[in-house]
Amino acid sequence: MRVRALRSVSLFGAVALAAVAGCGGQKGAGDDAKASARRAALVAEAWDGSAAAAAWRAGYHPMGDVVQLPRGGLRSRAEEEALRDHAVVLRGTLPGAGPKNGRVTWAGGRSVTRPMVGAAESYEALAGGRADGKPHLTVTGAKAGRMTVATSRGPAVVPAWLFSLEGYADPLKRSAVTASPLPRPPIGWSRGVPGLPLARVVRIAADGRSVTVIALDGARDDGPVVTVLETAGSVVLSGAVENPEHGDRTKRARLRQVTVKLARPVGDRVVLDAHTGRPIPCEPAYGPSPSRS
């Protein structure tokens, strides 16, 4: 398991999650680990072979960036930060709404039809940040096209808006179809199990053998720990912190990228959070799918 610090955040937003999921307690570390393992097994048992799992496999669930940079990437780190900060401005016109639905296609001809978002809505998801006096990207127009997106069922070709950028020969692409709704989980939140839910998936390795998630830990504990339970139908991740009894007197926390190695590729297995019993949302560098923007 590899851990990388990102930044500090207020703990106030995490307090409610900690209260629901449990965050330490009077039991020893061995008891905590056993409780966490039991919870992961219950989540896997509830999902494997369930209607929710079947709905997940039948849908379109992006598991990678729905934004594709121009060939060769952006020209500078400042422009990369501008895109992450939504410092994007429009100097031109955008097409109309376009068709209401678009087809998502996988290898072998499998496909699903999903509602589409128009060029204006797609642009608004990229923009909205402050660009005055700061490095920014300028959109000069857009046209309909297609792109490849990593999904829970493997790479898929999807309709996209191709945005022309000032100073770039190649467009910036953004998926134009909405993700399928997440299925209703067959199991509820945990009660009294130590640890915290995981915030999101940021990356699944190209070979599917590792998953990088965002975990939260206090500024005075010994860092986050993410354990994994793999079954034929699911990958259940459990988030916790080492030595939570150290406390967090600063009321600050750190977001951490934690990479978990798997015994075999994720494939079409659903990646679940043990504490919530739900699929862990995927929010890569340049934003989630259009329906979750």
Side-chain angles (χ1 to χ4, degrees), residues 41 48 67 69 86 110 122 147 174 208 225-226 255 279:
D48 288 0
V67 174
L69 301 181
H86 301 278
R110 298 171 299 163
S122 190
M147 65 183 288
R174 192 176 197 275
V225 175
V226 179
L255 295 177

Side-chain angles (χ1 to χ4, degrees), residues 249-269:
R249 299 173 186 173
T250 64
K251 294 186 178 181
R252 302 295 294 177
R254 294 167 294 190
L255 295 177
R256 299 274 195 154
Q257 280 195 7
V258 181
T259 298
V260 181
K261 300 291 185 181
L262 303 179
R264 62 187 181 88
V266 174
D268 65 354
R269 295 183 293 172

Side-chain angles (χ1 to χ4, degrees), residues 69-89:
L69 301 181
R71 190 177 306 172
L74 297 176
R75 293 173 295 195
S76 67
R77 182 172 297 179
E79 289 191 343
E80 292 174 359
E81 292 176 356
L83 183 57
R84 291 190 184 95
D85 294 340
H86 301 278
V88 180
V89 299

Side-chain angles (χ1 to χ4, degrees), residues 2 25 42-43 60 88 90 109-110 120 130 145 178 191 205 219 232 261 272 277 286 291:
R2 188 171 72 251
L42 287 173
V43 171
Y60 164 59
V88 180
L90 176 63
R110 298 171 299 163
R130 298 192 56 166
T178 63
R191 294 292 187 271
K261 300 291 185 181
L272 301 166
Y286 299 111
S291 64

Side-chain angles (χ1 to χ4, degrees), residues 169-248:
D170 295 305
L172 180 146
K173 302 177 182 179
R174 192 176 197 275
S175 170
V177 287
T178 63
S180 299
L182 293 176
R184 184 175 180 178
I187 187 171
W189 280 59
S190 65
R191 294 292 187 271
V193 177
L196 281 172
L198 299 166
R200 60 189 184 273
V201 172
V202 293
R203 186 183 312 108
I204 294 178
D207 62 4
R209 289 188 173 273
S210 69
V211 179
T212 300
V213 296
I214 298 295
L216 184 142
D217 73 298
R220 294 179 63 86
D221 58 49
D222 291 339
V225 175
V226 179
T227 55
V228 58
L229 171 65
E230 296 187 57
T231 70
S234 61
V235 175
V236 186
L237 302 179
S238 303
V241 294
E242 288 196 76
N243 297 322
E245 65 273 12
H246 286 179
D248 184 6

